[in-house]
Amino acid sequence: MNTTGSAANGGLHLTPFRGLRYVPERVGSLAAVTSPPYDVVVRPDGVHHLESADPHNIVRLILPQADTTEARHRQAADTLHAWLSDGVLAADAEPALYVYEQRKGDLLQRGLIGALELTPPADGIVLPHEDVIPHVVEDRASLMRTTAANLDPLLLTYRGNGTATGATAVIERTVLGAPLLATTTEDGMSHRLWSVTDPAALAEVADDLARHQALIADGHHRWATYLRLREEHRTPGPWNYGLVLLIDTARYPLQVRAIHRLLNHLPVADALAALEGTFRVRPVQGPLPAALDALAAAASAGNAFLLTGGDGRFHLIDRPAPDLLARTIPADRPEAWRTLDATVLHATLIDHIWHVPDSPEAITYLHDAQAAVEQAARRHGTAVLMHPVREDVVRDLARQGVTMPRKSTSFGPKPATGLVLRSLDVD
């Protein structure tokens, strides 16, 4: 790994690495071995679906199935070793940065995949914007430690000047050539990957990125995992770097979506009854897209949420009582944080009114609104559907060093897992 131009000198330091990639002749198709990020797969149905798509689907590494945590992670490590030994996966011959493109209809997303030098939040180079769940970090750390691999890239963003210069110029020149791979996943998204090995192009990228800081768009738990493992390996080496996809959102804007909550043990009738005198509650017409439109209209004027038990009925709650917010929202944070929907949801509704414990058994986080509605019906719980936060609000809070409540945003499109991996042994 090239380690010149350290991030200690300021800015982002994205380095080439020898990517591990599937050997096309050894798998049914590249699409059949990919997966969404581990936290987007709806378990267990999603895991079973992906496992049946191809015996070498990457989900066997990112979400291995066994009775204990230790057994799961040992199984993932053994599987990775077997796939390398059998030639299912192979390391590229020379270190590279990888240009990655996603396209679907009018959506076009391009960025660079590389090994990013790790820096703590205090350095202000990589900015987290959400809190993390400790047990998830521990699980991901155990998996990375056991496999000695970064199995999926984090999604980071930075703001260029909107023109095809620097790293963006390298990307847009590279995509004129033949890709290393091209595939279309079952969601209709096409994916293409190219390698960049030319020293002049790599220097052009390095010079540009050294002027920028990045926002973690997706992957806070994996970033926290990277930092934990770096502390465990204090000598310079591959553990000082983590696999990321870096996107210039001035050139290629990301979509920002909400992450919804499913309150597994709270029936919607009980949730609504507890709101008397605290929020305005109104029924809204379905189906789900129409109800979400009503939520968007209400959210433009203040905090608003959409509740459903999955029975086809939707309830819009908004206009929280000001004195209630004053009693329940911490006053020692910026105004932009205190007025976030996620802040009001957790501090006021979940903690104060509904008294739902903040545990995996009580609260499930779902990226897809329809999935939240369906699971609310199955579990006789309450789906709390949310409106997304604007990217500029997220970035401004991150620059102030203020983290949002965890699972506040979902940036996308997310990179497909399985197109390129990073082995710390190979690196």
Side-chain angles (χ1 to χ4, degrees):
M1 176 185 295
N2 175 15
T3 58
T4 60
S6 169
N9 298 324
L12 301 164
H13 179 216
L14 191 69
T15 68
F17 69 104
R18 291 179 61 200
L20 298 185
R21 296 188 294 112
Y22 281 98
V23 177
E25 296 77 14
R26 298 300 311 275
V27 298
S29 73
L30 289 174
V33 295
T34 63
S35 164
Y38 78 96
D39 58 341
V40 180
V41 178
V42 180
R43 301 180 70 174
D45 296 344
V47 172
H48 295 158
H49 171 72
L50 291 166
E51 286 181 334
S52 64
D54 189 283
H56 301 109
N57 189 282
I58 194 69
V59 78
R60 297 180 185 275
L61 300 184
I62 63 171
L63 289 173
Q65 302 298 294
D67 292 336
T68 67
T69 298
E70 182 179 359
R72 287 195 299 272
H73 298 162
R74 174 46 52 194
Q75 177 177 293
D78 291 344
T79 300
L80 176 60
H81 178 76
W83 290 356
L84 287 166
S85 298
D86 295 343
V88 175
L89 288 169
D92 285 335
E94 58 182 322
L97 295 180
Y98 296 87
V99 172
Y100 176 45
E101 177 189 275
Q102 295 162 277
R103 187 189 293 266
K104 183 179 181 180
D106 294 334
L107 185 152
L108 174 62
Q109 189 70 65
R110 290 174 177 153
L112 284 169
I113 295 177
L116 184 70
E117 185 173 0
L118 305 178
T119 56
D123 287 0
I125 295 173
V126 176
L127 305 174
H129 71 268
E130 289 184 356
D131 295 328
V132 296
I133 305 171
H135 77 86
V136 176
V137 175
E138 180 52 47
D139 179 77
R140 292 294 101 182
S142 175
L143 178 63
M144 284 189 205
R145 194 183 294 119
T146 307
T147 59
N150 299 155
L151 301 173
D152 46 355
L154 281 66
L155 179 59
L156 303 186
T157 74
Y158 70 101
R159 298 287 293 178
N161 60 15
T163 64
T165 58
T168 300
V170 172
I171 289 171
E172 298 189 3
R173 290 198 307 267
T174 301
V175 299
L176 299 177
L180 293 173
L181 63 85
T183 189
T184 300
T185 45
E186 64 179 7
D187 60 0
M189 184 77 73
S190 69
H191 308 261
R192 296 198 294 171
L193 194 75
W194 296 259
S195 64
V196 179
T197 58
D198 175 65
L202 294 174
E204 190 174 353
V205 170
D207 181 65
D208 182 23
L209 295 183
R211 302 184 181 95
H212 293 288
Q213 62 181 182
L215 176 73
I216 301 175
D218 185 68
H220 284 82
H221 291 89
R222 284 166 287 164
W223 182 257
T225 296
Y226 288 166
L227 295 180
R228 174 181 294 192
L229 295 177
R230 185 191 66 164
E231 288 301 307
E232 295 177 6
H233 301 80
R234 290 182 175 273
T235 57
W239 294 94
N240 287 349
Y241 298 78
L243 184 64
V244 306
L245 166 62
L246 190 59
I247 290 176
D248 175 5
T249 54
R251 189 72 170 178
Y252 296 105
L254 287 172
Q255 299 173 333
V256 187
R257 294 189 174 95
I259 301 178
H260 312 289
R261 276 66 168 159
L262 175 62
L263 309 181
N264 293 301
H265 309 304
L266 179 68
V268 70
D270 294 346
L272 293 169
L275 294 174
E276 185 175 355
T278 61
F279 282 73
R280 182 174 70 167
V281 180
R282 291 176 290 157
V284 295
Q285 292 295 316
L288 178 59
L292 289 173
D293 286 344
L295 172 63
S300 66
N303 300 119
F305 310 92
L306 193 66
L307 307 187
T308 182
D311 57 358
R313 293 182 291 177
F314 298 94
H315 312 272
L316 182 65
I317 67 171
D318 63 357
R319 298 188 183 179
D323 64 323
L324 172 68
L325 298 182
R327 294 197 313 272
T328 56
I329 304 295
D332 59 347
R333 299 289 188 94
E335 175 72 12
W337 182 90
R338 287 187 282 119
T339 56
L340 288 170
D341 285 342
T343 298
V344 173
L345 173 60
H346 283 269
T348 303
L349 285 165
I350 289 177
D351 293 349
H352 181 77
I353 292 178
W354 292 329
H355 304 292
V356 173
D358 188 1
S359 69
E361 295 76 24
I363 304 175
T364 299
Y365 295 86
L366 294 159
H367 293 74
D368 183 74
Q370 185 61 47
V373 172
E374 292 171 358
Q375 291 202 29
R378 285 200 296 269
R379 301 181 188 183
H380 305 290
T382 297
V384 183
L385 307 181
M386 302 181 68
H387 189 66
V389 183
R390 298 193 319 274
E391 182 183 353
D392 62 315
V393 173
V394 176
R395 194 175 295 275
D396 287 347
L397 284 170
R399 284 175 174 155
Q400 296 176 57
V402 178
T403 53
M404 299 165 64
R406 55 181 174 256
K407 300 294 184 182
S408 293
T409 59
S410 176
F411 284 82
K414 301 180 189 302
T417 300
L419 295 181
V420 60
L421 291 63
R422 174 176 176 253
S423 166
L424 282 82
D425 292 333
V426 169
D427 228 20

